[in-house]
Amino acid sequence: MPPCNPSRDCAHRTPRNGMGSMTTDQIMLFGILIVLFGMLVWGRFRYDFVAFVALLVTVLVGLIEPDQAFHGFGHPAVVIIALVLIVSRGLMNSGAVEFIARFVTSPDRALPVHIGIMAVVGAILSAIINNVAALALLMTLDMDAARKAKRAVSLSLMPLSFGTILGGMITLIGTPPNIVIAQYRQDVLGEPFSMFDFAPVGIAVAAVGIIYVAFIGWRLIPTRPDAMSLEGDAGLYVAEARVKEGSKSIGQSVGELYPVADENDVTILGLARQGKRLPGFSQAREIREGDFLVLEGDPKQIEAFMGAAELDTIGTEEHGGLMGKSLSLVEAIVPEDAKVVGRTMLGLRLIQRHGVTLLGVSRQGKRFRERVSSLTIKAGDLLLLIGPDKNIAAASNWLGVLPLENRRLEVLQRTKALLAISIFAAAIALSVLGITSLAIALGMCVVAYLLLGIISGRDFYALIQWKVIVLLACLIPVAAALEDTGGSQLIANLIVTQTANLPAWGVLAVLMIITMTLSDFLNNVATALIAAPIGVSVAGSIGANPDPFLMGVAVAASCAFLTPIGHKNNTIIMGPGNYRFGDYWRMGLMLEVLVILVGVPMIAWVWPF
């Protein structure tokens, strides 16, 4: 078993050797972990809440001392991940990232070349900023290029997502699992991995992966008319438009508006009255003031139809109606950790708080029986928001959604781009040269960004993904308990026993396959926390250097390509690309095989056993 670092105060428990029958502590802890994993895969409850409950239960049964329960919130990995998120937004606000990204798209390029260039740029950006932020920026460019080239955006969105995931493996700050593994190495070996220790293996794996997705992988995405055709329903919204006072539509039947709807390429799905959706298409129903027409179409066509039929939407009357010059239509994607996930716009009181209305929702071309304002929003949905320009940015930030169509949440301060890059580079240099720790260096960078106005103090805390922070902070003590009770050694012994006839690189391959499989269904931070002590225990059991096993866990925990739930980037693209759950493995399975085939020999070469 690896040595216990005093900072983790794990001397309070006598470690078991993991041999023979399981102890009572091990049985209880494995039971907690099984329930924890099951709840995380189920996804019914927020994963930070699940992790917090698991931490409390582990304390209550005596596996973690009460005074150690919340030490995870002060762990360097938690601090670094929070700071990386803030620095990433600073680089984007300064225009530094946009300066690079705006030169990469052209509708005239062949699709493999386009995918290759976008994936390379995504990988580079993901190495220096958070990979979710990199995807959010490049996704809008990719969708615009697809529309101009008149091809399905689904052909290039998944390769782009995979490219940003691969790029995160190149540096310490590129992806949270690398930070977790680096700090765990400091705990058990006394020294963390440095900024570019991940680069040799990460670059090799990313290069092979990008070549695959650019020339082979995208061809494996199934060709369904509704998902792959730009004429299909993938980009259509279901929206509601109110019949305002004095509208010429009052007194007409719904059917009488069909010609106007056809002219504007909009489908009228029905009528809502007094808070309820009327049955069927309501073709013969007479339209009254205050009714809502349920529409389906492209945002621009919906807006045009609403103007032609003299319709409006809730919350616009104080701004001069829908046609008022102060209003904007914004499309926004809902990421996994957005505030709006699992809630309704009615419950969030968006109009009252920000003067912005949810006009429509797009969910993989599905139609809804619920009112738009009462619809429970899911990760991957596309929202159509309408409101004054000055309110849209604040509302989007508050909801945690990512605007599309090249609309920005912040006014880019392009004159500060070079300064922002220089400050960031200086911070990284301070860390690499050993002058100060990475956490302190990034903290200094954040302070400089605040003083220069690159990021605002008002939005400082909003930039941190608190669900990830709480998840990590809660699972750090649980992972330590797994090690302290001998649970990690028990699992390591099982792996070693089952791979007794394999060389060290074969054992590493098995560990990576197990870790990668977990990461496809669990949060990658949780996977790294659980797999890291197992990797070190495996190395100790076969008398090998622990570094290649830690590096293998870092690579494998980052490579979640089989499902839309294994990585946030895969969840984000599901709606805009109109992907199904089973689409990911078609391209991702061979990519995961390639990661093993390239990663294992590269790790063995760079980090000898």
Side-chain angles (χ1 to χ4, degrees), residues 57 112-113 186 192 206 240 354 426 462 471 477 481 506 527 600:
V57 172
V113 176
Q186 183 175 38
E240 289 182 357
H354 293 283
L471 171 75
T527 301
V600 170

Side-chain angles (χ1 to χ4, degrees), residues 321-332:
L322 180 68
M323 305 310 292
K325 295 181 180 180
S326 63
L327 300 186
S328 293
L329 279 173
V330 174
E331 295 178 84

Side-chain angles (χ1 to χ4, degrees), residues 1-2 17 184 483 486-500 502-512 514-515 530-550 553 609:
M1 179 172 179
N17 60 15
Y184 180 76
E483 190 173 357
S488 59
Q489 185 63 52
L490 190 70
I491 299 173
N493 289 343
L494 178 62
I495 294 175
V496 171
T497 301
Q498 297 300 316
T499 59
L502 296 179
W505 63 264
V507 179
L508 172 63
V510 171
L511 176 65
M512 289 180 66
I514 294 173
T515 304
I530 299 301
I534 296 173
V536 172
S537 296
V538 168
S541 297
I542 64 175
N545 176 13
D547 282 341
F549 291 88
L550 284 174
V553 168
F609 295 102

Side-chain angles (χ1 to χ4, degrees), residues 297-550:
D298 176 85
K300 294 179 181 178
Q301 272 65 56
I302 290 175
E303 182 186 23
F305 172 75
M306 291 171 68
E310 296 185 356
L311 306 176
D312 220 326
T313 186
I314 292 178
T316 58
E317 58 278 351
E318 61 182 286
H319 307 293
L322 180 68
M323 305 310 292
K325 295 181 180 180
S326 63
L327 300 186
S328 293
L329 279 173
V330 174
E331 295 178 84
I333 182 71
V334 180
E336 181 186 18
D337 57 349
K339 176 184 292 188
V340 72
V341 172
R343 304 177 70 176
T344 67
M345 287 298 178
L346 193 61
L348 287 170
R349 301 176 67 244
L350 184 63
I351 299 174
Q352 293 87 338
R353 284 191 168 103
H354 293 283
V356 173
T357 301
L358 175 66
L359 179 61
V361 177
S362 176
R363 182 179 296 163
Q364 298 177 274
K366 294 181 180 178
R367 294 175 176 176
F368 314 110
R369 289 300 307 167
E370 302 95 325
R371 296 287 307 276
V372 170
S373 59
S374 303
L375 184 68
T376 300
I377 304 300
K378 297 182 179 180
D381 284 352
L382 281 168
L383 307 183
L384 186 60
L385 303 173
I386 184 170
D389 293 335
K390 62 182 181 180
N391 294 4
I392 286 288
S396 298
N397 269 327
W398 186 72
L399 292 171
V401 298
L402 305 172
L404 300 178
E405 301 283 0
N406 291 322
R407 289 180 170 88
R408 307 296 185 194
L409 295 182
E410 303 283 347
V411 176
L412 299 186
Q413 306 173 56
R414 294 172 177 82
T415 58
K416 299 178 181 178
L418 184 58
L419 183 59
I421 294 173
S422 300
I423 293 172
F424 175 69
I428 297 302
L430 289 174
S431 173
V432 171
L433 295 174
I435 298 174
T436 187
S437 68
L438 178 61
I440 297 299
L442 291 174
M444 294 168 62
C445 182
V446 168
V447 170
Y449 284 179
L450 282 167
L451 292 176
L452 292 169
I454 295 174
I455 54 177
S456 67
R458 181 191 62 189
D459 297 330
F460 181 85
Y461 293 104
L463 299 177
I464 300 174
Q465 297 174 8
W466 290 106
K467 287 172 66 177
V468 176
I469 297 300
V470 173
L471 171 75
L472 176 57
C474 291
L475 290 187
I476 284 174
V478 176
L482 179 67
E483 190 173 357
D484 298 341
T485 60
S488 59
Q489 185 63 52
L490 190 70
I491 299 173
N493 289 343
L494 178 62
I495 294 175
V496 171
T497 301
Q498 297 300 316
T499 59
N501 297 324
L502 296 179
W505 63 264
V507 179
L508 172 63
V510 171
L511 176 65
M512 289 180 66
I513 292 171
I514 294 173
T515 304
M516 198 178 290
T517 302
L518 286 175
S519 189
D520 281 317
F521 297 94
L522 300 179
N523 180 279
N524 53 14
V525 172
T527 301
L529 282 169
I530 299 301
I534 296 173
V536 172
S537 296
V538 168
S541 297
I542 64 175
N545 176 13
D547 282 341
F549 291 88
L550 284 174

Side-chain angles (χ1 to χ4, degrees), residues 185-206:
R185 187 180 189 272
Q186 183 175 38
D187 287 349
V188 298
L189 301 178
E191 185 178 352
F193 285 123
S194 67
M195 177 65 64
F196 300 109
D197 281 345
F198 300 89
V201 177
I203 290 174
V205 171

Side-chain angles (χ1 to χ4, degrees), residues 22 25-35 482 487 490-491:
M22 294 175 61
D25 284 355
Q26 291 170 349
I27 292 173
M28 287 192 297
L29 185 57
F30 281 124
I32 292 171
L33 289 175
I34 290 172
V35 174
L482 179 67
L490 190 70
I491 299 173

